[in-house]
Amino acid sequence: MHIRTFRANSLQDALEQIRSQMGADASVLHTRQVRDGLMGWLGRTYVEVTAGLKDGEGNEIGAGQGGSDSPQLGDDHGCPASRFNVVSQGSDSLQPSLQTQASFEENLPAPLRSYFDELLSQGVLRAVAERWIMGTVSFAASLGETSGDSLGSSIPWLEHLQRSVGRELRIGSPIRTQPGDRRIVALVGPTGVGKTTTVAKLAAGFRLEARRRVGLLTIDTFRIAAVQQLRAYADIMDLPMEVVEKPEQMRPALGRLGDVDLVLIDTAGRSPTSDARIEQLVELLRSAQPDETHLVLSGTSSVASIEQTIRGFAPVRPTSAIVTKLDETPHLAGVLSAIVATETNSGIALSYTTDGQQVPDDIAIADASALLSRLLPPRMQLSQAEAA
């Protein structure tokens, strides 16, 4: 991986260098404050920003060899202060010093600093929050909004922040059906996220609105109530339904559903940390051979819980995710930070969102604009409007 590091008097100047030398598609990877002079003392303070650029194959590339003012990553001659970062006990890697973290916030305009603090308070990892904020500043700089406004009070920071987050947010495709072409779709996820209700919403929508022939199949035999709940929905909508307990029962059950356009499979809630339960689920789904597998995530879950769920259900190979219970989630920064790609998480695309218990009304195709409009609490939206 080839990465360029730029040094400038301010964050805005560094971003201008990155854009002019690497183009608008460059990504900011890291930022910190450094000082020249003997071992970092008695010298001038600079902002140092590391950026990378992806080639056509998705690899990070540099825009050329950096000069004396643009050392390559790992060149200690250009940043002697890096040797004195604080090292956490029990860690094998260097961690950013408290001074470096404070410097990042000190370099931000006051409105943007408030957004950064709010992101952290919602559980967004510091690395992700810094990346989003750097993208926000980059958008402002690309429009020439940072040069004449040192306080940043007249800049639409919230709009730029939403654009920064939106650049990382992936929106997948909703379920698409054709008459006479059966499509099998499975919903998976941990207990309590609303899988069965979501299956019912999808079934009702395709049956009543799209006029498709729908069949239901459940492998959630751990909870008798779950089978009864789904069967009640099936009876109301006059849909065929099958219950499967073992992989060898799957193909015959699918055959008994008849000539339907869409088969929706409800699954039992699994703990993402239970390898045995996940493997059982993999075996059952392998016998069903679904065309799509949607991972159901609750919008009320913590960032750590959602990230753990995405990692734990990776063996199931979900094609996209459905986020439920948005009516119980006042703001979405934490949820969105958990589903975008990070160093420890590959991220996942969104297909649907739900915001209530009404069948089939409270479900919608995932919409980036609608999600980003709820990125921060209403009070943060209001303060942005007042500043404008």
Side-chain angles (χ1 to χ4, degrees):
M1 181 185 295
H2 300 286
I3 297 173
R4 289 285 305 278
T5 301
F6 296 81
R7 185 179 292 183
N9 294 329
S10 68
L11 185 60
Q12 290 84 353
D13 291 341
L15 292 172
E16 290 287 350
Q17 291 183 34
I18 293 171
R19 188 172 64 257
S20 64
Q21 297 185 37
M22 301 182 72
D25 293 331
S27 299
V28 173
L29 305 177
H30 180 67
T31 181
R32 65 172 186 161
Q33 193 173 61
V34 297
R35 187 185 299 271
D36 280 344
L38 179 62
M39 298 179 69
W41 294 90
L42 304 176
R44 186 176 179 182
T45 299
Y46 297 90
V47 174
E48 190 174 85
V49 180
T50 303
L53 184 66
K54 292 183 178 179
D55 61 14
E57 298 179 353
N59 300 314
E60 295 285 349
I61 61 173
Q65 296 297 323
S68 59
D69 61 339
S70 299
Q72 295 296 317
L73 185 66
D75 184 356
D76 287 339
H77 298 291
C79 46
S82 65
R83 290 192 291 268
F84 297 92
N85 281 347
V86 174
V87 181
S88 299
Q89 292 183 354
S91 174
D92 295 329
S93 60
L94 290 176
Q95 302 294 327
S97 65
L98 294 177
Q99 180 180 1
T100 300
Q101 294 183 0
S103 298
F104 176 84
E105 299 180 42
E106 290 171 358
N107 278 292
L108 298 176
L112 199 54
R113 192 182 309 130
S114 297
Y115 291 135
F116 179 69
D117 292 340
E118 184 65 30
L119 291 175
L120 295 181
S121 72
Q122 292 188 40
V124 179
L125 295 178
R126 173 173 283 271
V128 176
E130 288 186 0
R131 189 173 71 235
W132 286 355
I133 293 297
M134 291 298 296
T136 303
V137 176
S138 181
F139 278 125
S142 68
L143 297 174
E145 295 177 338
T146 58
S147 58
D149 188 356
S150 58
L151 297 178
S153 57
S154 64
I155 298 174
W157 290 118
L158 180 59
E159 294 178 17
H160 295 328
L161 176 59
Q162 290 170 340
R163 291 176 63 192
S164 179
V165 178
R167 186 167 58 178
E168 300 184 12
L169 186 62
R170 290 191 291 145
I171 301 297
S173 173
I175 300 169
R176 302 190 185 280
T177 61
Q178 293 292 336
D181 184 13
R182 186 172 73 171
R183 194 159 189 83
I184 301 176
V185 177
L187 271 63
V188 301
T191 302
V193 296
K195 291 187 299 299
T196 301
T197 303
T198 303
V199 166
K201 291 175 182 178
L202 290 170
F206 280 99
R207 172 69 175 85
L208 303 176
E209 298 177 14
R211 301 297 181 183
R212 295 289 187 262
R213 292 168 297 179
V214 180
L216 302 181
L217 188 151
T218 181
I219 56 179
D220 187 1
T221 57
F222 292 97
R223 295 184 304 124
I224 297 178
V227 176
Q228 293 175 339
Q229 180 184 6
L230 192 62
R231 191 174 297 281
Y233 285 126
D235 291 342
I236 292 172
M237 293 181 280
D238 192 24
L239 303 179
M241 176 180 160
E242 291 290 331
V243 179
V244 169
E245 298 181 6
K246 302 176 182 179
E248 57 268 25
Q249 298 173 344
M250 183 65 71
R251 301 313 298 182
L254 289 171
R256 288 193 296 272
L257 288 176
D259 188 18
V260 297
D261 304 315
L262 175 64
V263 176
L264 293 169
I265 301 179
D266 188 21
T267 64
R270 257 76 171 181
S271 168
T273 61
S274 175
D275 294 339
R277 285 290 185 89
I278 296 296
E279 184 57 34
Q280 291 175 1
L281 179 60
V282 169
E283 289 297 322
L284 282 163
L285 292 182
R286 185 179 293 123
S287 63
Q289 298 181 340
D291 299 291
E292 303 175 28
T293 301
H294 297 249
L295 176 60
V296 183
L297 305 167
S298 171
T300 62
S301 300
S302 66
V303 173
S305 177
I306 294 176
E307 290 181 335
Q308 185 181 61
T309 298
I310 294 174
R311 290 193 299 270
F313 278 85
V316 183
R317 297 184 178 181
T319 53
S320 58
I322 299 174
V323 178
T324 63
K325 304 184 181 183
L326 293 190
D327 55 314
E328 303 175 28
T329 312
H331 35 76
L332 301 178
V335 175
L336 298 183
S337 74
I339 63 176
V340 301
T342 65
E343 292 181 358
T344 59
N345 197 342
S346 60
I348 192 167
L350 292 180
S351 54
Y352 293 92
T353 59
T354 76
D355 59 356
Q357 297 294 315
Q358 296 298 317
V359 178
D361 297 329
D362 297 333
I363 189 169
I365 296 172
D367 178 80
S369 297
L371 293 168
L372 293 171
S373 68
R374 297 176 56 186
L375 182 69
L376 295 172
R379 59 183 174 81
M380 302 296 292
Q381 313 269 5
L382 179 61
S383 58
Q384 174 72 53
E386 291 174 342

